Amino acid sequence: MEKYLINPNQKISKINKEIYGNFSEHLGRCVYEGLYVGENSNIPNVNGMRCDVVNALKEMGLPVLRWPGGCFADEYHWKDGIGPKETRKKMINTHWGGVIEDNSFGTHEFFELCRQLECEPYICGNVGSGTVQEMSEWVEYMTFDGVSPMAELRKKNGQEEPWKLKYFGVGNENWGCGGNMTAEFYADQFRRYNVYVRNYHGNQPIYRIAGGPNSGDYHWTETLMKNVGHQMNGLSLHHYTWGTNKTALDFTEEDYILSMKNAYKMEELVTRHGEIMNRYDPDKRIGLIVDEWGMWHKVEEGTNPGFLYQQSSMRDAIVAGLNLNIFNKHSDRVHMANIAQAINVLQAVALTDGEDMLLTPTYYVFKMFKDHQENTLLGSYITTKYIDQEGKVPALIESASINADGDIVATIVNTSITESSEIQCQIADREVKSAVAEILTGEAHAHNSFEDKNEVYTKEFTDITLLNDGFKLTLSPCSVIKVIVK
Ligand code: AHR
């Protein structure tokens, strides 16, 4: 029997809703087809945004969407994507699949999408191939409410009022596709570009996110924190869980365990990058922004290799739950995270095929976990076995939070592909009146397809024994469970 202890007296940090963010790039069928089909499409849409996807993302509680890249951001020239659509420049998306980008989805369309989704926009600027002037003018175009050339241009293009823009990224992966820079060189670039990201709406300054490290590049974090820490609000971190160069549904038990090991690396990364940040920012003002994470498999047979289209199974759902629990646990430092990517690309929450749409197991994990958004993280601990021979990857990974009404939300992932776990939960100083649970479970390869869209979905879980101060349950292999305790 594993022991699960939750301490409501130990209130640790706020779980920002932005931890549950998504990322949407001009890559494959994420933006075009996935989110945006255009006003003239037969697919039901509002101002070009597909209704099924918008509704699904709203129900999932999407709080923030990052755009336009990724690597695309550092080749994106925002002026190509404004004004009458018929005059917008067409170009080749050299990075992703060599297809024609007609720029029909640009700044106005992105803000319209976020309006419909009721989520915060997070825009990533171009440092790799763009100028300081270009970035500065984009911010002016979006947010300035006075007389200026860019504000006039925005008005001419039909948007009288400036938009509210909270999050702005000063470049993306500047160690790689965003300019192939050294940490020292990028720190100097950040210093310069960042000056011209002006705060035009004084009472809500822009939250500036510096291009951060690739996975375990601790030198990058050290350099950025030392040289420009005081000028940023957030530092991004990218870490993908690489599969074994096979398609998403093609894996053995050994491959599965390896995926969990790669995914669990996130715990070490946020801890170690966090430790460096603590030395320069002990008050934890600066957020670690994990704005690209998720499983990266070989593309599905017969699809454009540059489109990064992959299926998604229970294995991906376990990786999602594992990561979200880690982010919750580190919510004192992790202020935002954005899974890559929202629709049809990498670990997507939904896939589309023409007018058809399905929700992936990962979608259901996000929807279950939304009850943590804006809660307070509580002290908690679970005993566990390990699923790998080296004893590095725990079978059980959890987090617990408390909401404004005093309800406790506990989410537990069982990463084991074979073993169930009996769990007894004890909540300190609490008389438990009720415990309501939901579970997402299935064989690791289980997934939703266009032939069977409902193989995997969240179900009510009633096999739970109420105790005076907690509950008892058995968690089947490859499961994610949420328990709400009143
Ligand atoms: O998400 C796909 C790509 O992965 C992004 O464009 C880039 O930032 C990362 O390398």
Side-chain angles (χ1 to χ4, degrees):
M1 174 81 74
E2 305 296 355
K3 288 272 188 294
Y4 183 22
L5 304 171
I6 301 177
N7 184 0
N9 304 320
Q10 190 189 5
K11 300 197 166 60
I12 299 176
S13 48
K14 183 175 152 219
I15 298 177
N16 275 355
K17 61 181 188 315
E18 283 80 358
I19 283 179
Y20 293 87
N22 277 205
F23 166 41
S24 59
E25 181 167 11
H26 287 235
L27 192 177
R29 298 186 301 113
C30 183
V31 169
Y32 298 109
E33 283 187 49
L35 292 159
Y36 178 75
V37 286
E39 295 83 345
N40 300 326
S41 170
N42 294 331
I43 298 172
N45 69 84
V46 173
N47 298 328
M49 315 300 155
R50 53 187 299 167
C51 299
D52 51 358
V53 168
V54 167
N55 291 338
L57 293 178
K58 270 173 80 172
E59 257 182 59
M60 189 186 81
L62 182 73
V64 60
L65 189 62
R66 178 174 183 249
W67 174 83
C71 296
F72 184 80
D74 279 282
E75 281 186 309
Y76 184 59
H77 301 288
W78 67 273
K79 283 186 184 162
D80 296 346
I82 55 168
K85 293 202 177 173
E86 45 306 344
T87 59
R88 292 190 193 176
K89 274 189 201 160
K90 293 192 174 38
M91 60 193 258
I92 303 288
N93 188 335
T94 43
H95 224 100
W96 302 118
V99 290
I100 292 190
E101 161 66 61
D102 68 2
N103 279 302
S104 55
F105 189 96
T107 306
H108 291 249
E109 289 75 21
F110 179 62
F111 278 100
E112 168 60 13
L113 174 62
C114 292
R115 185 193 67 77
Q116 292 186 26
L117 290 170
E118 295 168 21
C119 77
E120 291 286 349
Y122 166 16
I123 287 193
C124 184
N126 179 347
V127 169
S129 71
T131 63
V132 172
Q133 180 182 0
E134 184 180 5
M135 187 180 283
S136 152
E137 287 185 340
W138 198 7
V139 174
E140 182 186 324
Y141 185 87
M142 293 186 282
T143 61
F144 187 57
D145 193 15
V147 179
S148 85
M150 291 304 114
E152 290 311 309
L153 185 58
R154 183 190 69 234
K155 290 177 191 171
K156 196 176 128 222
N157 288 330
Q159 179 66 28
E160 188 64 30
E161 297 293 317
W163 291 286
K164 291 257 175 308
L165 175 66
K166 187 162 171 195
Y167 298 107
F168 191 84
V170 185
N172 168 73
E173 295 196 352
N174 303 93
W175 39 264
C177 64
N180 204 12
M181 304 175 191
T182 61
E184 290 75 11
F185 184 77
Y186 172 71
D188 286 345
Q189 294 297 311
F190 175 83
R191 203 186 280 272
R192 180 160 169 251
Y193 278 76
N194 186 46
V195 170
Y196 301 97
V197 178
R198 302 273 190 217
N199 285 320
Y200 291 115
H201 32 234
N203 53 357
Q204 197 206 46
I206 291 180
Y207 185 106
R208 294 119 196 284
I209 298 166
N214 179 20
S215 258
D217 183 353
Y218 300 110
H219 171 73
W220 189 280
T221 299
E222 182 84 44
T223 308
L224 269 279
M225 288 302 296
K226 185 158 95 196
N227 294 358
V228 285
H230 54 290
Q231 291 168 33
M232 65 173 83
N233 301 101
L235 179 68
S236 87
L237 165 67
H238 290 183
H239 173 64
Y240 283 99
T241 301
W242 301 97
T244 39
N245 203 25
K246 294 178 179 173
T247 51
L249 305 179
D250 176 17
F251 59 92
T252 61
E253 189 174 332
E254 205 182 320
D255 297 332
Y256 174 96
I257 292 172
L258 194 66
S259 311
M260 294 303 140
K261 213 184 253 178
N262 292 342
Y264 194 62
K265 175 98 180 149
M266 187 62 88
E267 172 65 35
E268 177 188 324
L269 292 174
V270 293
T271 303
R272 291 190 58 190
H273 285 292
E275 279 163 6
I276 297 170
M277 293 173 84
N278 289 347
R279 279 195 271 112
Y280 297 94
D281 174 36
D283 298 335
K284 303 190 175 166
R285 178 189 65 81
I286 303 170
L288 185 59
I289 308 294
V290 190
D291 53 17
E292 287 188 32
W293 67 273
M295 291 211 78
W296 191 313
H297 304 293
K298 189 174 165 192
V299 300
E300 292 298 318
E301 292 290 311
T303 64
N304 185 329
F307 279 18
L308 309 185
Y309 176 75
Q310 61 191 43
Q311 246 295 355
S312 198
S313 69
M314 270 307 297
R315 171 174 63 164
D316 300 80
I318 297 298
V319 165
L322 173 162
N323 274 290
L324 293 172
N325 274 333
I326 291 174
F327 299 149
N328 283 350
K329 285 281 208 196
H330 289 272
S331 51
D332 57 341
R333 182 60 84 183
V334 176
H335 293 178
M336 191 200 298
N338 310 75
I339 195 168
Q341 299 194 4
I343 319 290
N344 293 330
V345 171
L346 299 177
Q347 192 174 342
V349 298
L351 304 176
T352 66
D353 181 12
E355 62 180 348
D356 220 352
M357 178 199 73
L358 65 80
L359 305 173
T360 65
T362 297
Y363 173 91
Y364 290 104
V365 175
F366 270 77
K367 196 169 167 201
M368 282 167 96
F369 275 57
K370 80 173 171 187
D371 286 315
H372 281 300
Q373 293 187 17
E374 302 292 284
N375 284 3
T376 304
L377 178 75
L378 296 178
S380 60
Y381 182 80
I382 197 161
T383 60
T384 181
K385 300 195 181 65
Y386 289 81
I387 63 166
D388 59 323
Q389 302 221 311
E390 301 82 40
K392 293 235 162 78
V393 186
L396 300 176
I397 298 168
E398 60 69 47
S399 66
S401 68
I402 190 161
N403 68 19
D405 298 330
D407 306 334
I408 290 171
V409 180
T411 45
I412 317 168
V413 175
N414 183 0
T415 65
S416 171
I417 200 168
T418 47
E419 308 271 314
S420 55
S421 279
E422 272 184 82
I423 300 169
Q424 176 164 348
C425 172
Q426 188 182 15
I427 304 174
D429 297 331
R430 169 72 74 125
E431 211 175 296
V432 170
K433 297 194 195 78
S434 70
V436 178
E438 273 184 352
I439 193 164
L440 185 77
T441 188
E443 196 279 319
H445 297 82
H447 62 282
N448 294 330
S449 64
F450 288 100
E451 290 70 49
D452 181 0
K453 289 193 256 181
N454 289 311
E455 189 183 335
V456 185
Y457 58 94
T458 316
K459 296 186 181 116
E460 194 188 351
F461 181 86
T462 49
D463 203 3
I464 181 164
T465 310
L466 215 58
L467 307 172
N468 286 339
D469 60 352
F471 58 82
K472 232 165 50 174
L473 57 82
T474 299
L475 192 55
S476 44
C478 206
S479 300
V480 184
I481 198 165
K482 173 182 71 184
V483 186
I484 299 189
V485 181
K486 287 191 190 283

